[in-house]
Structures are given as structure tokens and as C-alpha cells.
Amino acid sequence: MDETMYNAILVALLAVSILQFLRRGGSRRRPPGPRTLPVIGSVHHVVNTLVHRSLRDLAAVHGPIMMLRIGPMPLVVVTSRELAREVLKVQDPNFANRPRLLVGGICGYGWADIIFAPTSDYWRQIRKLCIHEVLSPKRVLSFQHIREEEVRRQVEAIRAAGGAPVNVTRMVYDISSRTISRSSFGEVRPDMPVFQDAIKRVIGLSSGFNVPDLFPRLREVLGEVSGMKRKLREIHRTFDAILVDIIEKRRRERAALVAAGKEVVDENVVDVMLTLQESGDNSWGFPVQDNTIKAVVLDMFAGGTGTSGSSTEWAMSEIVRNPRVMRKLQEEIRSTFRGKETVTETDLRESDLKYLKLVMKEAIRLHPAAPVLVPRESIGAAELGGYEVPAGSRIVVNAWAISRDPRYWKDPEEFRPERFDEDGAPNFHGLHFEFTPFGAGRRMCPGYNYGLAGMQMALLQLMYHFDWRLPPGVDEVDMEEAMGLGVRRKNPLMLCATPYVPAAPAVSAG
Ligand code: HEM
């Protein structure tokens, strides 16, 4: 089919959907929203903008629930604690679905992963399997040495820079991706940049706003004629070949251990999944196939790398921007570990670094890595905030706007970790709907322990071992955000570090 034909079909489809919308819309009370343009609807409000910011500005005009149209697709945006609670808790069964995006079909092994899978028994079980076997607190703990080694590696690189500016952004993303890589399959392979680039492209195509994803019934045909399927197949081929190699290599290594009469110990996520596969245990309700293993590893990377990296880079940005906080944090860490040359996670667990935890919460409040969470889809029609939300609508919760809303936060733009030390302050567990950086309800992030463990270790070491300042000639921390569904820094955070020499421990008299 040539391009003219494709465009003609597209215009006809859009015209039909608009007519259907006009016919349906009259008698029911739909959420308010900005005026839509013919054919494209409200696309101009979300494309090429910082989506969380433009949606907040629109909510200031239209209210805490509004409806936009992305082409023919209704997009409902929620911007209040009360309505977030309604979507993520009270009506969670209806709103916890994910749209069946083309990317999930092709790159998610037929929606076999967790992030892209629509609500189903399979999704419930694979999510449960990951929570019990792969992301449990015990398993996260078993990756302690990896986090320690990866952070130490960067600490040494910073020392080696001898006070010259270092790219903190690159370092913290390196820590998170190398840690995920080693805990997923035991090594950092030379082809990791290719793999990561493919994952980044997968994330880039998962907004749900690509034309084939806006016409669920015609998704396959439009995917073919628009060329999106071809692009996705090519990305899939790239990372699938690497995953096949990873699984085969590990299988051979395990077989060699068995042949040598040695015990096979589950050292990483692929090991855990291979053990389940070999046991033939079907109690999860599905056989663990190679594609299941690949889909789980894909989720580790897609869900865990960018989010952990961006949370840490923003935390460092805020700390350096707020010298009072930096001094107080360093004082807490340095007085706790006085005289120690290296601080391990065991040391960290045995101490109670309260202020470090408050700083992490405050950084994540101001800079949630997924500012509008991961888009959901309503299963049936529902009433929300006194309006009717049609079945099959896309739903986003603007968690970023809610966590800066002066109705719930005093001086919300201020970086003040102490606010989390007050009675009744929110925690990370998805129970306070003014603070949902990991989502809440059935779809809440299952990897939050994992993400926080890495962030905590990185911040602890960077603050213990170095004093930080802006490079000569720079007098302000640039806080500009990059466009995209995740909020990252637009420009890398460049800082100079002076090594801190730990004071000798106090010698007790006698
Ligand atoms: C600071 C780090 C992280 C942040 C801020 C974060 C945030 C989120 C958010 C907002 C969601 C969507 C929740 C919703 O739809 O209500 C999510 C889902 C998810 N996250 Fe995370 N995440 C982080 C780290 C991780 C890590 C380290 C992993 C895995 C190793 C992970 C795996 C997942 C998965 C698999 C889902 C999909 C859950 C589902 O759809 O059932 N995340 N995350």
C-alpha cells in the first residue's frame, strides 16, 4: 500500500471516529477539557512539550479531571489527591488495565512482560512471580555486593579526576545500568550499549500516542502500513539476539557446573528463572519459557535503569543547589561512619541514617521519574469526579503536579527534606495519594525496593567521600528538564569533587 492510500485511510478513520464522538457526546456529562482541533484533537497539548507541565497548566484552567482527545482516543487526566485515590485505589480494578500497545506485542514477547501486559490472570501471576522470586527484599539484599562494587568503581573514577569537573549524570546512569545488568545476568557485556539503545527505543515507542495505538481495532493493519511494525521488529531482533545469547551461555555454564559435580547457585535473575524452568513447576499457572525469561529481563531494564538514574541525578542536583541540606546530610553520614575508609550496605543497615531517607523522599517528590505514571486504560465506563469516563479511555495521573500542589504541600517548590519528618508525612508505599512516585494499587511499581537500595548506596558514598561544588564560572545548578514521558535532566550535571579524608576514629581512653 503506498503512502497516499495510507493517508486516505487514516483521514477516513479519523472522520468516522469524530462523527461517532459527536453523536455519542451530546447527552452525557463528559469531563471538561481544552477545545479540540479537527482530526488531531488535543495532540498539540502533549507533543513536543514537557507533558507533566503542560497538563498541569491545563488542569489549572479545566479542573482536576479533564478529557483531551489524542486523535480519536479519549485521554482522561487526573490532577488531585482525591481523584488519584479514586483511580489508583477505589476504582483500581477498572483503571488498572494497560492498553495493548503494538510495542508490547512485538517487543514484550506478545505482552508476556509486566509493564505492557493488559490486566489478566497471566499478568497477575507473572507479577506475583517477580515480586516473590526476583524483586523480593531477600533477593535485592543478595545483590548488595554488586551495588557496592559499582558505586566504588565510580568513587575511584571521581578521585582520579583530581578535582576536574565530572559528569555526575553519566556516572549515576552507569551505576544503575551496570547494577541491573549484573543482577539480571551476572555481567556487563561488551554489547550492552547496543542492548540499552534498543531498550531506549522501545520506551520511546511506548507512549501509546503512535497512530496504530490510537485505533485498537486496526492496530495490526496500521502498524504494518505505517512502518511502525517494521521498526519494532528490527529493534526486537537486536535485543532478542543478545538475550538468546545470554540465556544459552548461562545454560551452558550451569550444565558445566552440574557435570563437574558442583552446586548451581542462583546468582542472578536469569538463574532464578532458569531454575524455575528446569523444575517444571507450573504452579504459577504458566510454563516458564525462554520468552518469559526474556520478558522479565526486559522489564528490569525498561522499568529500572532510567528511573533509578534520574532519581539519583535529580537528588544530586537538589543537594548541590541547597548547601544547607548538603552540610546536614554530610554531617549525618560522616559522624555515623567516622574514620571508616569504606562504608558497606551492612554498615548502612545497622545505622539509622534518617536524614538521608528524608532527602531521598524530597528529591523524588519534586522529580518523580515517571511524572504521569505509566498510562492506564479503563475497562468499562465509569463515573469519576461526577463525570462519565468512557470505556477504553486512556488515563493518566499527574503525580508530578499533585506532589507540588500547594493544597497538600507547604511551600511546595522548596527543597525541604524535613517536611517528611512531620507526623503523618507520606511514605513510599502508595497509601498517600498526594505522593505516588511509584504509583499505587495493583499496578504499583514492584521494583521500588530495588530502585531505592541503589539510590541510597550511591548518595551515601558520593556524600561521604566528596565535597561537591559547581565548576569554575558556573554559579547556578541548571535544572532544565528534557522532553519525554520520564523526567530527566536536559543537560548532564557537571560537578567538581574534593575528596574527603575520613577523620581517625575516636580512641577510647584506657
Ligand atoms: C526510583 C526508581 C523507580 C521509580 C520512580 C519507578 C516508578 C514506577 C512507576 C510510576 C510505575 C507505574 C505505576 C502505575 O502504573 O501506577 C512503575 C511500574 C513498574 N516498575 Fe518501577 N520504578 C522504579 C524502579 C524500578 C525498578 C528498579 C524495577 C525493576 C527492577 C521496576 C520495575 C517496574 C515494573 C515491572 C513496573 C510495571 C508494573 C505493572 O504494570 O504491574 N521499577 N514504576
Side-chain angles (χ1 to χ4, degrees):
M1 197 179 304
D2 68 12
E3 205 179 321
T4 323
M5 181 82 142
Y6 169 63
N7 288 338
I9 292 177
L10 210 57
V11 170
L13 287 169
L14 287 165
V16 170
S17 352
I18 289 166
L19 278 175
Q20 278 175 346
F21 167 62
L22 291 175
R23 247 185 256 134
R24 263 181 310 171
S27 59
R28 301 205 187 115
R29 212 165 112 77
R30 292 284 158 86
R35 276 186 53 196
T36 52
L37 297 176
V39 183
I40 62 167
S42 331
V43 168
H44 54 297
H45 290 295
V46 291
V47 170
N48 288 335
T49 64
L50 293 168
V51 176
H52 50 292
R53 289 184 184 269
S54 45
L55 291 182
R56 177 181 64 177
D57 296 346
L58 285 174
V61 177
H62 301 285
I65 172 167
M66 54 184 182
M67 189 152 109
L68 283 72
R69 297 198 81 85
I70 307 301
M73 181 69 66
L75 172 72
V76 174
V77 184
V78 158
T79 321
S80 76
R81 173 174 69 187
E82 295 68 26
L83 289 174
R85 183 172 180 278
E86 197 64 29
V87 170
L88 303 174
K89 183 175 178 190
V90 181
Q91 299 195 43
D92 190 30
N94 189 44
F95 289 122
N97 203 16
R98 295 258 194 256
R100 261 179 193 268
L101 304 182
L102 206 50
V103 66
I106 296 175
C107 294
Y109 297 90
W111 298 281
D113 77 319
I114 306 173
I115 302 178
F116 295 123
T119 306
S120 64
D121 284 343
Y122 171 79
W123 162 75
R124 258 182 290 278
Q125 290 303 101
I126 182 87
R127 187 181 152 98
K128 215 188 271 175
L129 183 153
C130 278
I131 289 173
H132 283 268
E133 304 286 339
V134 173
L135 296 166
S136 66
K138 193 168 149 225
R139 188 76 63 197
V140 173
L141 204 61
S142 76
F143 299 138
Q144 161 172 347
H145 66 288
I146 299 179
R147 285 186 290 274
E148 287 170 356
E149 285 160 20
E150 289 306 326
V151 176
R152 201 173 310 133
R153 192 168 172 272
Q154 298 298 347
V155 165
E156 274 151 28
I158 298 168
R159 279 213 185 98
V166 290
N167 186 334
V168 176
T169 291
R170 204 183 52 225
M171 288 183 158
V172 298
Y173 280 97
D174 259 18
I175 294 175
S176 67
S177 64
R178 288 177 60 95
T179 305
I180 295 263
S181 181
R182 289 181 60 192
S183 49
S184 294
F185 41 80
E187 60 178 334
V188 180
R189 296 167 51 106
D191 49 14
M192 252 320 84
V194 179
F195 186 74
Q196 271 169 329
D197 181 60
I199 305 290
K200 244 192 227 158
R201 294 174 68 200
V202 168
I203 296 170
L205 288 166
S206 59
S207 68
F209 299 145
N210 297 293
V211 170
D213 291 324
L214 297 175
F215 296 91
R217 282 200 210 132
L218 295 162
R219 189 183 52 224
E220 299 300 320
V221 176
L222 291 175
E224 212 64 77
V225 294
S226 66
M228 185 167 163
K229 271 189 155 185
R230 189 175 31 79
K231 209 185 284 175
L232 287 170
R233 283 196 205 104
E234 181 199 307
I235 301 173
H236 176 253
R237 259 196 307 277
T238 306
F239 70 76
D240 185 64
I242 297 175
L243 288 171
V244 168
D245 194 50
I246 287 168
I247 294 173
E248 286 309 323
K249 185 165 169 247
R250 194 60 195 146
R251 239 185 220 130
R252 284 195 301 274
E253 286 165 359
R254 289 161 67 97
L257 284 173
V258 173
K262 295 192 180 142
E263 195 192 351
V264 177
V265 180
D266 287 347
E267 288 172 5
N268 52 58
V269 173
V270 169
D271 269 337
V272 173
M273 298 299 289
L274 283 173
T275 300
L276 284 172
Q277 185 181 60
E278 286 158 11
S279 73
D281 175 6
N282 269 0
S283 60
W284 295 102
F286 56 86
V288 175
Q289 297 170 334
D290 280 9
N291 277 358
T292 326
I293 304 178
K294 294 177 198 167
V296 167
V297 172
L298 177 77
D299 268 0
M300 301 294 108
F301 275 85
T305 317
T307 48
S308 306
S310 98
S311 304
T312 314
E313 70 169 349
W314 284 118
M316 280 299 286
S317 311
E318 290 288 2
I319 292 169
V320 172
R321 207 165 157 232
N322 291 276
R324 177 193 71 82
V325 172
M326 179 149 69
R327 274 195 304 277
K328 191 166 166 185
L329 181 59
Q330 285 177 324
E331 169 57 26
E332 176 184 70
I333 297 173
R334 290 175 182 176
S335 63
T336 305
F337 302 117
R338 181 178 297 277
K340 276 183 94 63
E341 262 190 38
T342 49
V343 180
T344 63
E345 255 191 38
T346 313
D347 297 327
L348 181 58
R349 271 194 304 282
E350 286 167 0
S351 59
D352 179 24
L353 293 188
K354 200 165 140 196
Y355 198 62
L356 176 59
K357 292 190 185 112
L358 302 182
V359 169
M360 286 166 59
K361 281 188 188 145
E362 180 69 337
I364 290 180
R365 176 185 73 83
L366 284 172
H367 308 279
V372 294
L373 307 184
V374 176
R376 293 159 173 239
E377 187 179 86
S378 57
I379 297 172
E383 204 205 286
L384 194 60
Y387 296 98
E388 188 190 312
V389 171
S393 302
R394 300 278 163 82
I395 316 286
V396 298
V397 173
N398 195 344
W400 175 88
I402 299 172
S403 64
R404 286 177 180 234
D405 190 325
R407 284 176 296 174
Y408 320 124
W409 305 90
K410 188 167 177 278
D411 302 323
E413 301 294 326
E414 204 182 295
F415 187 76
R416 193 169 55 81
E418 290 77 4
R419 72 174 81 242
F420 281 98
D421 200 19
E422 289 157 13
D423 282 346
N427 55 34
F428 283 128
H429 302 136
L431 303 170
H432 299 86
F433 295 88
E434 67 274 37
F435 184 58
T436 56
F438 295 100
R442 287 166 174 72
R443 285 281 176 177
M444 185 174 166
C445 176
Y448 77 96
N449 274 324
Y450 190 130
L452 291 173
M455 181 182 181
Q456 177 165 269
M457 194 58 188
L459 289 178
L460 166 78
Q461 302 287 1
L462 295 179
M463 286 298 133
Y464 182 62
H465 289 292
F466 303 101
D467 290 326
W468 295 92
R469 63 184 187 286
L470 288 167
V474 182
D475 41 40
E476 228 182 283
V477 182
D478 149 40
M479 299 294 277
E480 203 174 340
E481 297 167 338
M483 270 190 279
L485 278 184
V487 192
R488 294 178 168 208
R489 289 180 55 85
K490 183 167 182 199
N491 304 305
L493 177 66
M494 301 296 298
L495 295 175
C496 300
T498 308
Y500 161 75
V501 182
V507 180
S508 57

